[in-house]
Amino acid sequence: MSPSVNARLAVRADMPEVARFAAQLVRLHHALDPHRFMCLEPIEPGYERWLTSELANPDAAIVVAERTGAEPALVGYAYGRREPRDWNSLLDTCGALHDIYVAEPARRLGAGAILLGAVIARLQALGAPRIVLHTATQNAAAQRLFERFGFRRTMIEMTLGLE
């Protein structure tokens, strides 16, 4: 029997593993473009502190994907928040998907779609009228997932290095 994946809200005990996933996401982005994405090691302790504090934020949604079966294990996470109006971005109140990460072995189990669906549902329950996200230009697989859920392209970020 192949393992299945389900999503649930994160709890404090999940935070060391979630921080490890968050650090992998940072390292992935940094490897894609080290001039755009900072990577200040060690990453895990800071993310564990930050995401643990976000568990108490009523506007935050941290969801984990868990492989079920004989040896249950976390295989990914998603982090989003209901954000206030931002005049600089011309963006009204919304849900913002800040992070979504699935460990390599679980990427063919549908964990990304399960996580994305769960964090969308949680942000909607928090009253978000829309959800926005940023995705690395090179991450075509993530963009396909987002588009399957109905996300559309609205902005292109451009970077100019001045050093």
Side-chain angles (χ1 to χ4, degrees):
M1 180 179 199
S2 65
S4 62
V5 175
N6 63 33
R8 62 173 171 78
L9 291 177
V11 297
R12 173 61 185 102
D14 299 325
M15 290 301 105
E17 188 70 3
V18 169
R20 190 176 70 75
F21 292 145
Q24 289 301 104
L25 185 59
V26 169
R27 292 180 187 112
L28 169 69
H29 282 93
H30 182 72
L32 291 173
D33 187 345
H35 298 291
R36 163 55 178 89
F37 297 102
M38 66 181 186
C39 184
L40 305 173
E41 298 285 356
I43 301 167
E44 289 84 352
Y47 261 99
E48 185 171 350
R49 279 189 305 276
W50 169 251
L51 292 171
T52 297
S53 74
E54 284 292 84
L55 288 173
N57 180 347
D59 288 327
I62 305 174
V63 179
V64 293
E66 188 171 47
R67 186 186 61 227
T68 59
E71 295 181 37
L74 295 186
V75 296
Y77 85 106
Y79 163 58
R81 271 193 340 208
R82 195 170 82 84
E83 301 288 357
R85 178 175 288 157
D86 180 346
W87 286 97
N88 287 322
S89 297
L90 300 178
L91 187 59
D92 208 347
T93 301
C94 66
L97 178 59
H98 294 291
D99 296 345
I100 185 166
Y101 180 82
V102 175
E104 181 65 40
R107 291 185 184 160
R108 282 152 293 287
L109 300 176
I114 291 165
L115 271 174
L116 186 56
V119 77
I120 289 170
R122 182 70 186 133
L123 290 169
Q124 187 174 24
L126 292 173
R130 75 196 55 76
I131 299 171
V132 297
L133 60 83
H134 294 95
T135 180
T137 301
Q138 305 93 319
N139 196 343
Q143 291 165 31
R144 284 191 301 273
L145 173 64
F146 301 141
E147 288 168 347
R148 275 199 339 253
F149 273 77
F151 284 87
R152 61 187 173 81
R153 296 167 192 264
T154 55
M155 294 291 293
I156 297 173
E157 177 185 86
M158 299 175 75
T159 301
L160 171 66
L162 300 175
E163 59 281 332

